[in-house]
Amino acid sequence: MDGAELGGLNAGGPDRGGPDPGDPRPAKVAGLDVGRANIARMSDYLLGGKDNFAADREFAESLMAIAPEVKTMAVDTRTFMERVVRFLVDQGVRQFLNVASGLPTRRNTHEVAQELAPEARVVYVDDDPVVLSHARALLARTPGTGVVKGSLLRPAEMLADPEMLRLVDFREPVGLLIPARLQYLPDSDEPYKCVAHMRDHLPSGSYLALGHAVFDTRPELAAPLVELFRQIVARADEVPRTREKVLRFFDGTELVEPGLVYIRQWRPEARESVTRAQRVWIVGGVGRVP
């Protein structure tokens, strides 16, 4: 979510200072590799953003050649999380921790939460240099928001960050949001253990919300997508999970209705047919910490 610092990102985009697709100059954000596709920037491209490079666009196009619906799925994941935030605000949650938040787009977590509860506080966590750069500039003058450099795989470090502790009181309920990153983490990285660590840090009355791609209804996609993602995800063959495996992330919580379902079926504002909902092969749910 960053703008002033984006001078280092070939500030060619007119609205958010994103990279100019025709600018051959290398970006100058520390730790940035523009020649290798990146999940956050690829998602930005699918959402119609400008903060991506040729490698990200080429990867996204290859992905859509296999599964054209992924563009719709990127949008649906954002709208699912918007519904989740509204639900959590209705439950009295006023603190939100958005982990692996990705690049800023329309209707970010703080915008949705603070529209309903101006006192709401939101911390965005990511370890991608572009995400961090954008986020810090976007939120520099936004009260009740913060940005933390951190990883799902290093939860203790993330939770102890001074910026985190400045904004989040872990004695009060927290909404822990993990929109769409777990699907890229192999079991050997111990994502279940990392999510459990974060869950155990939350007080009673907190909530865990996440989305995750599954292949239960589209098993034919697993092999070609694994082969493609080998380019950017270590041990990609370990990653594909079924709904039952995703359900394990909610251990220690009480799933709220309607449970772990395809995201279009999670408290939809307009009725969606089962067939259409399953075409978008991402499941999502919200679990309450007892």
Side-chain angles (χ1 to χ4, degrees):
M1 306 175 218
D2 203 19
E5 295 181 6
L6 271 190
L9 214 159
N10 293 335
D15 51 357
R16 291 190 309 195
D20 182 348
D23 189 344
R25 295 172 299 170
K28 299 176 184 177
V29 174
L32 181 62
D33 180 359
V34 302
R36 181 182 175 86
N38 168 276
I39 290 168
R41 299 194 307 265
M42 180 265 293
S43 297
D44 175 73
Y45 176 68
L46 292 174
L47 288 164
K50 298 178 177 140
D51 303 313
N52 49 76
F53 296 95
D56 310 307
R57 296 187 287 274
E58 290 168 8
F59 187 91
E61 291 294 337
S62 297
L63 182 58
M64 287 189 286
I66 298 170
E69 63 268 32
V70 296
K71 192 177 182 91
T72 299
M73 289 163 59
V75 175
D76 284 350
T77 299
R78 290 283 184 171
T79 57
F80 160 64
M81 278 294 162
E82 181 175 341
R83 297 197 303 276
V84 167
V85 171
R86 290 202 298 268
F87 168 77
L88 296 185
V89 170
D90 286 345
Q91 305 309 302
V93 175
R94 296 294 184 269
Q95 305 182 109
F96 295 87
L97 177 50
N98 192 329
V99 180
S101 54
L103 279 154
T105 183
R106 297 175 182 85
R107 303 295 287 164
N108 294 296
T109 299
H110 72 281
E111 295 169 314
V112 177
Q114 293 177 352
E115 182 178 278
L116 299 171
E119 73 277 19
R121 303 186 302 280
V122 179
V123 176
Y124 294 96
V125 179
D126 213 295
D127 57 2
D128 179 85
V130 176
V131 172
L132 294 169
S133 180
H134 279 254
R136 286 172 179 145
L138 177 67
L139 301 176
R141 296 179 179 86
T142 305
T145 62
V147 182
V148 168
K149 180 179 180 181
S151 168
L152 263 169
L153 301 179
R154 299 188 300 277
E157 176 184 316
M158 173 208 312
L159 294 168
D161 187 278
E163 180 71 353
M164 179 77 70
L165 299 178
R166 180 181 73 84
L167 286 165
V168 179
D169 181 353
F170 285 103
R171 297 169 298 182
E172 299 294 330
V174 176
L176 172 58
L177 314 176
I178 310 175
R181 188 59 60 87
L182 290 166
Q183 63 210 35
Y184 302 111
L185 300 178
D187 286 356
S188 55
D189 280 347
E190 300 187 311
Y192 293 106
K193 181 178 178 180
C194 294
V195 170
H197 183 103
M198 289 185 283
R199 177 205 66 216
D200 291 345
H201 197 76
L202 304 179
S204 176
S206 295
Y207 292 84
L208 165 66
L210 62 87
H212 196 301
V214 296
F215 294 95
D216 300 60
T217 60
R218 302 296 305 281
E220 74 280 6
L221 293 179
L225 288 181
V226 164
E227 187 60 33
L228 178 63
F229 272 94
R230 286 184 199 278
Q231 300 176 30
I232 59 173
V233 176
R235 303 178 302 283
D237 55 316
E238 298 180 32
V239 174
R241 297 188 178 100
T242 62
R243 177 188 174 280
E244 288 305 308
K245 289 185 177 180
V246 175
L247 196 58
R248 284 182 51 200
F249 286 112
F250 290 98
D251 286 354
T253 72
E254 301 165 347
L255 274 173
V256 303
E257 291 295 331
L260 182 62
V261 296
Y262 288 95
I263 54 176
R264 288 190 170 203
Q265 296 172 319
W266 198 91
R267 299 176 180 257
E269 295 178 354
R271 189 173 181 82
E272 297 280 356
S273 72
V274 172
T275 300
R276 179 61 175 150
Q278 290 183 341
R279 181 74 176 175
V280 176
W281 30 277
I282 297 180
V283 293
V286 177
R288 184 181 185 277
V289 178

